[in-house]
Structure formats: structure tokens, C-alpha cells
Amino acid sequence: MSLLIKNGEIVTADGRMHADVYCEGETITRIGAALEAPPDATVVDASGKYVFPGFIDPHVHVHLPFMGTFAKDTHASASQAALVGGTTTFIEMCAPSRGDDLLEGYEAWKGMADGQSACDYAFHMAVPRFDERAAEQLREVVGDGTTSFKVFLAYKDFFGVYDDELFGALSLARELGVITTAHTENADLVAKLQQKLLAEGKTGPEWHEPSRPVRVEADGVHHFATFLEATGARGYVVHLSCEAALEAAIAARRRGVSLAIEVVAPHLLLDASYAERPDFEGAKYVMSPPLRTKADARSLWHALEAGLIDTVGTDHAPFDFAGQKDMGRDDFTRIPNGIPGIEERVKLLYTYGVSRGSLDLHRFVASASTNAAKLFGLFPRKGAIAVGADADLVVWDPAQRSTIRAANQAMPVDYSGFEGFEIDGRADMVSVRGVVQVEDGRFTGEAGRGQLLRRDPVDG
Ligand code: URP
Ligand code: ZN
Ligand code: ZN
């Protein structure tokens, strides 16, 4: 099995050159000018196109039991949607809840993905409870190659941890060399504000943001950073949404706290006015942390352009509008939180960052692929175009134009949060470990090709 990509312009996080890429089996074996291939090789002409390393989405929910329902995806559907958007690896939150056995949860998530995913995947292991048994089980999970944890300061008594548990989880993470990702909103404050708003008769989706204002998130970031400092663990804030939280994260870094920052596509491109749409349509845009002001989104873009933000993910969490989001028609606290996006992340970031914005093309690759690979122990196998790396490649045609429509999406959800957004560029060809999975922007590949990526802890 061999694959030759000819005449393209290779663009990575730190380099750019016109060259051919030759892959044998699952691996890139040669990069150079005018490469020859055997007659049975698959040859892709990338003239006038970019060749990017496969993109990595560091924050995805596929199987998600949450708020009285389940996210509407399978590993087959999520991975195929990821691939048509150019994402060749995603990291899913393995999220058992507080009452569940952690190891049983981990095995269940693995079992659901096994043989189903068309692209490669890994897990962040949630820690919804921490005690001796949890510690023992987490050691096993890390030993199995799942070397990142997830803690929620929000959603208390479901996914959330108490402070003594947070301290224990981070101390273990430090000992094992594991990075801990965190949803940083102060759960108690959110609960109080929700109660107050509902008591005032404020029940619509537009009240979701006021129930979780920016200071609640900034407080969460500061709190998490304080615990990282006390334990010496490495941290990663997921879906950071606003300038106040960004300031808290950067202040922590200045004190020497090891803290990476993720933003997600909805916070870059949507704002709180979407959740104010009439006839309950605002429910489509309810996620946590909530959509913020346009000024907050601008601050995130500036920080991304300046290299202060490490990764751009999706927080893909698909719930139908009809039958799921409308569970909260009379009470915004019951609207399942989340916006789908695994299919759209790369094209949105390319269009509104690179093509129509000021995001450097290398920063685009770094934030959508390479930085996640480095932070989560996948580099240089993933996130790179180099001899020896996995042949996960995206041939990107910058000349293509399209408009996002739910009616055309691969994701099995009844709406798109980005309906009507114009798009520049398309992932024409996408390969996963040397096998072409997407041709002419459509999934044509092997449904179960994806593998669980077992990772070593990252020093540092
Ligand atoms: O609203 C969100 N973000 N839903 C998914 C669960 C989470 O908090 O990441
Ligand atoms: Zn979250
Ligand atoms: Zn999430």
C-alpha cells in the first residue's frame, strides 16, 4: 500500500515547501522533489493546493450521557464528520459520572469506539470523584496509554469534583506526569445565579449567559491555577470563552503555572445574541461556558494570532433541537448544553482566521493540529509532516467556496450552529495512516479504520 501526493505546497507549524510526499504502509517515508511511485500506488495531484498534517480536535464528546439525555452521535458518525472536515484524530472526553465506576466507564467508552471509528482517537479520562479506589483505577488507565485527565469544576455532583478531590487528582497527575484538562466555572455560583433567575421568571435560553457570567469563569480559571501551583501539576483550560478568563490564565502563566489554553470554534465565531433568537431558537446556542460578547470573541482571536492560545477545538456536543434542546423550553437550566462542530472546525478557522482574518498559516496548523499533538503526547507521530510520522495528510483546496447548511452536513443533528456561514477552502483528500478516507470532500473510506492512540506521559 503506497500513497504519493504530488505537486502540493506542504505547510506545517514551522515550515513551508513545494515538495511531494510519499507514504509506504502507514508512514511517511520520503519528502522531496519529483518523487516516483510504483505503478500500483495511489497518486493524488495537489497542484495549487496545500498539504497539511492531519488536524487534531482535542475536545470532543461522542458518547455523552448528560442532562437527562445522550449526545446524538456514534463513533462512526462523529469520525466520518471529522474526516470530511479534515480532522484525522480526535480526543474524546471519557466522561463517567460521579456515581459510576471509573474503570467500567473507561472500558465502556473504549468498547463503543473500537472498530467503529474511521479516524484515530484518544481519550481524556474524566475524574468525577477522587478517592483511593479512583486513584488505583486512574493508574491503570494511565498505564493503558490514556495520559490526560479531565476535571470539571462545573456540574457539581454529576461530573464535578470537590476541592479536596481536585487536590488529590492533581497530585496524582503530577506524580504520573499526566496533564489535566479542566472545565473551569464555579459550580456553586452558577447554581445560585440559576435559582435567582428562575425565581424572577427568567426561564428562556437568553438567561443562560447571565447565569454563568464571565467572572464565574475567570474565578474558575484562577481556582484551577491555584491548585496547579500548589500541586506542581500541568494544566489545560478547555473552552476558554472570554477576556476575563484569558487574563486569569495569562496571569497564572506569568507566575510560572504550567497552563495551556484551548478555545473552541463557537466562542470565536458566535456571540450571546444567538442565544437571544426568538421562538426558543436560542436554545441551539446554549453551551457552557456560554457564548459571550463580540468583544470577547475579538480578544480570543487576538490572543490566538499572538500565539497566547495553544489549541482550537470544538467541544463537539451534538443534541437535536427537536426532542433534546426543547427539554428546556420552560427552564433554560434543562437545555442540554452543547453545540455540534467536529465537521466545521478546520474550515471555520481557515476561513475566518487565515483567509478573511489575520491568523498566520503556520499558527493555524499549530493551533488546529501540532500543539495538541505536543501537549497530549502524540507528536511527532501526529501533527507533523516528516519522515517517520503517520501518513495522516490533508490536501486542502483554498479555491473552493461553500456555505454551511445543516441539510448538507455529515453530522446526524437537526441543525448547525453555523448555518449560513460562508466557507473558503475544503479538505479535498484526507488520509489516515496512508489510507485515503476522503476524496473530493466526501467520505469514501474504511468505516472502522481508526485506532485508539496509546500515549506516553509528556515531560514537563
Ligand atoms: O456546553 C458544553 N460545553 N457541553 C458539553 C459538556 C462540556 O461542558 O464540555
Ligand atoms: Zn466543558
Ligand atoms: Zn466539553
Side-chain angles (χ1 to χ4, degrees), residues 155-178:
Y155 314 130
K156 202 157 265 181
D157 295 326
F158 190 66
F159 291 143
V161 279
Y162 290 87
D163 278 352
D164 57 336
E165 298 175 311
L166 179 61
F167 188 86
L170 291 178
S171 301
L172 181 68
R174 163 72 206 244
E175 180 197 322
L176 300 177
V178 161

Side-chain angles (χ1 to χ4, degrees), residues 76-91:
S77 58
S79 60
Q80 292 179 30
L83 282 167
V84 297
T87 293
T88 53
T89 296
F90 62 79
I91 311 184

Side-chain angles (χ1 to χ4, degrees), residues 59-61 93 150 152 183 238-239 288 315-317:
H59 185 165
V60 167
H61 302 276
M93 302 294 167
K150 170 73 183 282
F152 290 87
H183 176 139
V238 302
H239 51 38
S288 296
D315 194 12
H316 174 73

Side-chain angles (χ1 to χ4, degrees), residues 396-412:
W396 184 267
D397 183 355
Q400 290 278 342
R401 296 287 176 270
S402 61
T403 303
I404 294 178
R405 298 280 175 220
N408 304 332
Q409 71 193 2
M411 298 180 295

Side-chain angles (χ1 to χ4, degrees), residues 59-83:
H59 185 165
V60 167
H61 302 276
V62 180
H63 176 63
L64 178 66
F66 187 44
M67 297 186 73
T69 186
F70 291 85
K72 211 187 156 219
D73 234 332
T74 62
H75 291 83
S77 58
S79 60
Q80 292 179 30
L83 282 167

Side-chain angles (χ1 to χ4, degrees), residues 212-435:
R212 321 171 87 96
V214 293
R215 286 290 149 208
V216 165
E217 186 185 349
D219 181 73
V221 171
H222 179 71
H223 193 77
F224 180 51
T226 305
F227 276 67
L228 291 172
E229 208 168 353
T231 55
R234 288 184 306 124
Y236 172 104
V237 176
V238 302
H239 51 38
L240 182 135
S241 75
C242 57
E243 186 171 335
L246 182 64
E247 280 169 0
I250 289 175
R253 277 184 182 167
R254 285 210 192 96
R255 313 197 289 278
V257 178
S258 171
L259 186 59
I261 303 172
E262 170 197 277
V263 294
V264 295
H267 293 132
L268 288 170
L269 291 154
L270 306 172
D271 62 75
S273 68
Y274 284 81
E276 293 164 8
R277 290 189 168 181
D279 301 325
F280 194 63
E281 208 199 324
K284 294 176 179 173
Y285 304 95
V286 166
M287 68 173 291
S288 296
L291 301 177
R292 304 296 192 185
T293 63
K294 288 188 171 64
D296 282 307
R298 266 197 304 278
S299 294
L300 299 186
W301 276 114
H302 290 152
L304 181 63
E305 288 157 13
L308 294 170
I309 285 170
D310 298 278
T311 63
V312 178
T314 54
D315 194 12
H316 174 73
F319 298 100
D320 273 341
F321 180 61
Q324 293 191 293
K325 289 282 187 181
D326 58 11
M327 290 160 56
R329 199 169 272 280
D330 302 319
D331 175 351
F332 70 86
T333 68
R334 295 182 187 278
I335 300 170
N337 286 197
I339 298 178
I342 197 167
E343 188 171 344
E344 321 295 8
R345 173 187 67 123
V346 175
K347 57 181 105 162
L348 287 166
L349 188 64
Y350 178 82
T351 304
Y352 295 97
V354 177
S355 180
R356 304 184 188 193
S358 329
L359 182 64
D360 171 78
L361 195 57
H362 302 289
R363 282 234 157 97
F364 159 73
V365 175
S367 62
S369 176
T370 311
N371 290 351
K374 288 182 175 169
L375 284 162
F376 297 117
L378 294 168
F379 189 81
R381 181 177 171 194
K382 306 289 189 189
I385 299 182
V387 170
D390 279 1
D392 294 356
L393 296 161
V394 175
V395 173
W396 184 267
D397 183 355
Q400 290 278 342
R401 296 287 176 270
S402 61
T403 303
I404 294 178
R405 298 280 175 220
N408 304 332
Q409 71 193 2
M411 298 180 295
V413 198
D414 68 359
Y415 80 100
S416 168
F418 304 99
E419 183 76 26
F421 274 61
E422 292 177 1
I423 292 298
D424 302 341
R426 182 180 80 170
D428 268 5
M429 191 288 313
V430 181
S431 65
V432 175
R433 283 177 286 103
V435 168

